[in-house]
């Protein structure tokens, strides 16, 4: 397993942008596919975005497609989530998750596949 820590969450106005970071330590992070999930009180954690080990493949939930972009810098053991045109419904605790992947193009969109996750970072969007 890797240890993950998210950062970058804060209060932002609707229409604004944020970049979340997920720093990994403990193992060769370049062998891990990663994903972003979010959760609001009383609801299940939902998929936001996924990225393969090299970053060559990405996938997004329909609700964020065209607004959010995930990327990674394996030299820094960090995954990013750039969020643009934020709306109040994007407010949530955002979690980074990771799982070893055999192939460079592998993506995991279901949370069940992930074995490591961070404590989360709070994103608040004011209308």
């Amino acid at each position: 397993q890797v240890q993950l820590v998210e950062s970058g969450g804060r209060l932002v106005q609707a229409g604004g942008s944020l970049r979340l970071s997920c720093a990994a330590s403990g193992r060769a992070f370049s062998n891990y596919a990663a994903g972003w999930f979010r959760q609001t009180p009383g609801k299940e954690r939902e998929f936001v975005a996924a990225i393969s080990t090299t970053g060559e493949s990405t996938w997004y939930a329909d609700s964020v497609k065209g607004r959010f972009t995930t990327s990674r810098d394996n030299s820094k053991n960090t995954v990013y989530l750039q969020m643009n045109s934020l709306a109040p419904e994007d407010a949530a605790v955002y979690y980074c998750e990771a799982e070893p992947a055999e192939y460079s193009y592998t993506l995991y969109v279901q949370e069940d596949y992930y074995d490591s996750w961070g404590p989360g970072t709070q994103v608040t969007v004011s209308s």
Side-chain angles (χ1 to χ4, degrees):
Q1 287 186 337
V2 292
Q3 289 74 51
L4 304 171
V5 179
E6 305 91 340
S7 62
R10 61 175 176 85
L11 172 64
V12 63
Q13 286 190 332
S17 298
L18 276 180
R19 189 177 80 158
L20 305 183
S21 298
C22 172
S25 61
R27 294 274 184 169
F29 190 56
S30 58
N31 296 330
Y32 284 72
W36 290 94
F37 292 77
R38 64 187 182 187
Q39 188 172 24
T40 54
K43 293 188 176 181
E44 291 189 356
R45 201 170 293 190
E46 66 170 350
F47 169 75
V48 175
I51 187 166
S52 61
T53 57
T54 61
E56 67 183 75
S57 298
T58 56
W59 193 257
Y60 299 93
D62 287 343
S63 58
V64 307
K65 202 170 293 183
R67 299 187 299 124
F68 290 12
T69 302
T70 188
S71 61
R72 65 191 297 162
D73 184 344
N74 286 336
S75 69
K76 296 182 179 179
N77 288 346
T78 303
V79 176
Y80 304 99
L81 183 67
Q82 177 66 42
M83 306 187 294
N84 299 328
S85 302
L86 283 161
E89 51 266 34
D90 294 316
V93 177
Y94 281 73
Y95 298 91
C96 172
E97 306 196 9
E99 179 66 19
E102 183 176 0
Y103 302 107
S104 63
Y105 51 80
T106 298
L107 294 169
Y108 300 118
V109 298
Q110 293 182 304
E111 195 180 14
D112 290 349
Y113 285 106
Y114 290 99
D115 204 31
S116 301
W117 54 89
T121 186
Q122 177 73 53
V123 173
T124 305
V125 184
S126 64
S127 57

